[in-house]
Amino acid sequence: MPELPEVETVRKILEPQLAGRTIVRLTLNRPDIIDHPSAEIFSERITGMQIAGMGRRGKFLSLKLANQDRLILHLRMTGQLLVTLPDDPVEKHTHIIFHLDDGKELRFTDPRRFGRFWLLSNGEEDIYSGIHKLGIEPFDSRLTADWLQRQIGRRKKSIKECLLEQKTVAGIGNIYGDEILFEARICPARPACSLTGEEWSRLAAAIPSILQKGIRANRMTPEEYLAGRGKAYRKEPFFRIYGHEGDPCPCCRTSLTRIVLSGRSSFYCPECQKRNPAIDGCESSNSG
């Protein structure tokens, strides 16, 4: 699943191609990807609308329309968004095509069909997409050690699982969660309530730092993005730890370890990210 840096890459690539364009027609091959309102109303309201810009919130993308309506979408596991020429072959699993006034097409392809669209009228409360449940953005000035500790510092759930919930900080996924915790030198399996004050400080610094590095590492041209058909939005050599089970730690050369938390693989260095049996039970939580 694309995480915040990849979704931001998609936004940066597509916004210059879409801003100012008008949606003249819609081809909707799978109406079930429209979650709100009905597919019929969605098609009627979106046709003839000019796109004013493109935004991102957590892992969600949005098209800002000139009439102040908002089109929100989530790529989920396998969604791909691409601006193409009309004579480009239509790929299998292309579920919706926005025909634009410059002759180009905005296509959404999704083999697993988990991606969804929502259209909200100006002033309409968004109780549909889930955005209202998101925590702060990772680049928000409120993201401090004290703030994180107040939000999740009493929880016995693993710190990795807490980071993935989206309700504290938006946009962190499984891959960047491992990279963040490696940067902060915290084992992903540690209960959140066992972290020390120093560790909360390292975590608060690592979250925006790693995600910004991911955004910079994923930087590409529109031509590169088009060549990758909307799939090549991540440059994996950036990752120091995720997927590197058995490889030497880039810091201490200890073999990296894989564990499973809530059904997801997590990777860490048992030397740089030591578990602490003395406080992992949270008897001495948040000390230091």
Side-chain angles (χ1 to χ4, degrees):
M1 175 186 288
E3 301 180 25
L4 185 152
E6 290 77 45
V7 176
E8 181 65 9
T9 295
V10 174
R11 186 197 68 77
K12 287 184 172 183
I13 292 290
L14 295 188
E15 183 174 34
Q17 302 178 68
L18 296 175
R21 301 271 62 86
T22 296
I23 301 167
V24 298
R25 186 165 57 89
L26 200 67
T27 299
L28 186 55
N29 298 319
R30 289 202 64 95
D32 56 326
I33 70 168
I34 308 300
D35 237 23
H36 173 78
S38 68
E40 293 76 14
I41 294 175
F42 179 95
S43 298
E44 290 174 6
R45 284 174 45 190
I46 205 75
T47 302
M49 287 296 102
Q50 186 182 61
I51 300 169
M54 195 168 187
R56 179 198 55 76
R57 177 76 169 94
K59 302 176 191 177
F60 290 82
L61 286 167
S62 64
L63 291 180
K64 306 167 187 177
L65 305 179
N67 66 351
Q68 304 302 310
D69 286 359
R70 291 172 294 148
L71 189 159
I72 297 171
L73 64 130
H74 201 299
L75 300 174
R76 300 279 168 82
M77 294 293 293
T78 58
Q80 300 140 29
L81 204 58
L82 192 67
V83 174
T84 72
L85 294 172
D87 55 354
D88 283 354
V90 177
E91 297 190 24
K92 188 177 180 182
H93 309 297
T94 296
H95 304 318
I96 186 169
I97 301 174
F98 300 86
H99 303 268
L100 306 175
D101 62 346
D102 63 351
K104 294 183 179 179
E105 298 175 352
L106 173 64
R107 299 177 183 176
F108 176 72
T109 305
D110 187 3
R112 297 188 68 178
R113 300 203 306 271
F114 292 152
R116 288 294 180 270
F117 286 71
W118 302 266
L119 179 62
L120 301 172
S121 59
N122 182 23
E124 181 178 6
E125 183 181 2
D126 182 7
I127 59 172
Y128 308 100
S129 69
I131 284 181
H132 64 291
K133 299 178 182 179
L134 294 178
I136 64 173
E137 286 288 306
F139 313 116
D140 194 304
S141 61
R142 289 174 291 174
L143 181 56
T144 64
D146 288 344
W147 186 88
L148 277 176
Q149 191 170 342
R150 287 195 304 271
Q151 298 299 312
I152 56 176
R154 295 182 180 275
R155 302 188 64 184
K156 292 187 177 182
K157 183 175 283 191
S158 76
I159 185 60
K160 171 77 178 287
E161 292 171 285
C162 289
L163 290 179
L164 299 188
E165 286 178 344
Q166 307 301 303
K167 62 185 180 181
T168 302
V169 181
I172 302 172
N174 196 46
I175 295 175
Y176 285 93
D178 280 351
E179 297 296 319
I180 286 166
L181 290 167
F182 179 68
E183 176 78 4
R185 305 195 303 278
I186 299 169
C187 175
R190 288 271 304 280
C193 57
S194 74
L195 269 60
T196 66
E198 181 182 348
E199 288 170 328
W200 286 116
S201 294
R202 296 202 300 262
L203 182 59
I207 289 171
S209 173
I210 290 297
L211 292 175
Q212 285 284 15
K213 286 180 181 177
I215 291 171
R216 290 195 298 269
N218 289 337
R219 190 179 294 125
M220 64 182 68
T221 66
E223 292 75 21
E224 289 173 320
Y225 182 80
L226 182 61
R229 307 308 296 171
K231 306 172 188 177
Y233 41 57
R234 175 183 290 148
K235 297 183 177 180
E236 299 206 5
F238 161 75
F239 301 124
R240 296 183 295 170
I241 191 153
Y242 184 85
H244 289 285
E245 180 184 10
D247 290 348
C249 168
C251 294
C252 74
R253 313 307 291 173
T254 300
S255 292
L256 299 176
T257 297
R258 172 184 171 271
I259 56 174
V260 177
L261 297 170
S262 293
R264 299 180 181 183
S265 293
S266 292
F267 301 84
Y268 76 104
C269 172
E271 180 62 31
C272 295
Q273 299 166 272
K274 289 181 177 178
R275 303 189 68 165
N276 191 337
I279 63 173
D280 273 6
C282 300
E283 293 87 349
S284 306
S285 66
N286 305 321
S287 63

